[in-house]
Amino acid sequence: MRFDQHTLVLFSRPADAPELPRDAADLLHDTHLAHQAGLVEQGLVLAAGPFVDPDDPALRGLAVLPISPDEARELYANDPAVRAGQLVVRVASWLVPEGNLRYESVGVPRSMLEAAAGD
C-alpha cells in the first residue's frame, strides 16, 4: 500500500503566555489569521482551523501542510502569535493511505471580523 505524507501543525497556548490587553490580543489574532491566509493562498496550507471544546483547553487549532516538518516549523516560527508567545506549535508527519484525503481550495478568513461575517 502507498501512503501520502502530510505535515500536521498543532497549535497550543503555553501556560506562561503573556497577558495582553483585549485590543492587542484581538489585533494579534487578526495578524495570525492573515499569516495563515497568506500561507493558504501560497498553497502551503491545505486545511486549518481552530478547535472547539477540546479536552485540553490549551489546544487551539490544527493545520495540515503538504511540505516537510522542517519547512512547516520555519513557516510558523514567523507567525505573529508564535513570535509573541501566545501560541506554540508542535509538528509531526502524518501518513494516510494514498488518495484518502482530498482538499479543495476555499477562502479562509484574514481577520476575526471576516470570520464572524460567515460569508
Side-chain angles (χ1 to χ4, degrees):
M1 178 176 276
R2 292 182 181 195
F3 291 87
D4 290 329
Q5 183 173 335
H6 301 279
T7 296
L8 299 182
V9 176
L10 181 67
F11 299 93
S12 61
R13 181 172 169 84
D16 62 349
E19 289 298 320
L20 297 175
R22 185 66 174 170
D23 59 337
D26 289 347
L27 179 60
L28 186 60
H29 197 172
D30 282 352
T31 59
H32 163 71
L33 290 176
H35 178 262
Q36 185 84 285
L39 297 177
V40 169
E41 290 164 0
Q42 295 174 60
L44 298 171
V45 172
L46 300 171
F51 292 130
V52 178
D53 298 326
D55 287 342
D56 179 350
L59 294 176
R60 298 302 174 149
L62 177 81
V64 181
L65 296 86
I67 59 177
S68 75
D70 287 339
E71 290 170 305
R73 283 184 194 93
E74 187 176 324
L75 289 176
Y76 283 103
N78 292 315
D79 184 296
V82 172
R83 288 194 332 251
Q86 296 297 303
L87 292 175
V88 294
V89 296
R90 291 182 175 78
V91 178
S93 292
W94 181 42
L95 299 176
V96 295
E98 186 177 57
N100 185 258
L101 296 175
R102 289 181 179 57
Y103 300 93
E104 293 187 30
S105 180
V106 297
V108 296
R110 298 187 75 81
S111 68
M112 290 304 296
L113 181 62
E114 194 174 318
D119 295 333

